Structure formats: structure tokens, C-alpha cells
Amino acid sequence: MNSYAPILVLGALGAGFAIFSVVMATLIGPKRYNRAKVEAYECGIEPTPTPAGGGRFPIKYYLTAMLFIIFDIEVVFLYPWAVTFDALGIFGLVEMLLFVLTVFVAYAYVWRRGGLEWD
């Protein structure tokens, strides 16, 4: 338990700061609401009524999100590998090169198919 004390203290500090920020924002924040502030933020575009089914989104939104997740997971795997690079030796290097090559092939495929272009 003694080795987890710094993690618990850091978690408590983070939670305390988050709660403090939310409480202070509601106490001292501006309270003048108008019609524009109450509406949902839509990047300056006037919202249009959506159909009963919720409407359809272009598939490129989902593809972009999946690409982000794939490359985000790659970074998550690269960090521990970089930390223990010396301990893994040549085996770790070959395994990571195969992993990066696999991700690069997927990236090249998506690029070639036009998944990174916005119309």
C-alpha cells in the first residue's frame, strides 16, 4: 500500500482540482443568458430539424474516428516498447518493426482509397 500512496495523492489532487474548478465556475461565472448562449454550439451553422430516425452521417466521420483510434493505439504500444528497448533486445526491435509495418500498410491502403480526403 505504501508504494501506491503517490498515485492516490495525485488522483486526489486531480479530483480536487476538477471539483474546485466546476464549483468556482458556477459561483463566479457570468449569469447573463441569452438565446444564442442557450442554443447548442454548431460551428456557426444554423441547426436544421433532423428526421425522426436521427439522420445519416457520412461514413467518412466514422472512418476518420477509427483511423484515429488505430494510430492512438499504436502510440500506446510504442511508448512501453521505447522504455524497455534495451531489455527486449533484437527480438523487441523485430517485433516492433513488424507492428509498425502492419500499421503502415493499413495507413497506405486508407490513403490510396481516399479515406484521408475531405470533400
Side-chain angles (χ1 to χ4, degrees):
M1 183 64 184
N2 202 12
S3 62
Y4 291 110
I7 296 172
L8 293 175
V9 169
L10 186 61
L13 280 173
F17 178 73
I19 292 170
F20 174 76
S21 298
V22 170
V23 168
M24 292 308 289
T26 57
L27 290 178
I28 63 174
K31 306 222 179 346
R32 295 178 304 247
Y33 297 109
N34 57 22
R35 195 175 76 121
K37 287 201 180 260
V38 176
E39 287 184 9
Y41 178 69
E42 295 288 337
C43 301
I45 300 171
E46 290 294 324
T48 58
T50 57
R56 297 182 65 147
F57 284 97
I59 193 70
K60 288 199 176 206
Y61 291 124
Y62 299 110
L63 290 176
T64 303
M66 291 175 71
L67 284 173
F68 173 76
I69 290 170
I70 288 171
F71 290 109
D72 192 39
I73 290 172
E74 179 185 11
V75 170
V76 168
F77 282 132
L78 280 174
Y79 182 74
W81 171 78
V83 170
T84 61
F85 178 71
D86 288 338
L88 294 174
I90 193 72
F91 174 75
L93 178 65
V94 170
E95 289 297 318
M96 191 50 67
L97 285 176
L98 288 174
F99 176 70
V100 170
L101 180 69
T102 304
V103 172
F104 179 73
V105 167
Y107 176 72
Y109 174 77
V110 169
W111 188 0
R112 180 96 169 125
R113 300 276 300 188
L116 302 175
E117 296 174 10
W118 289 92
D119 297 329

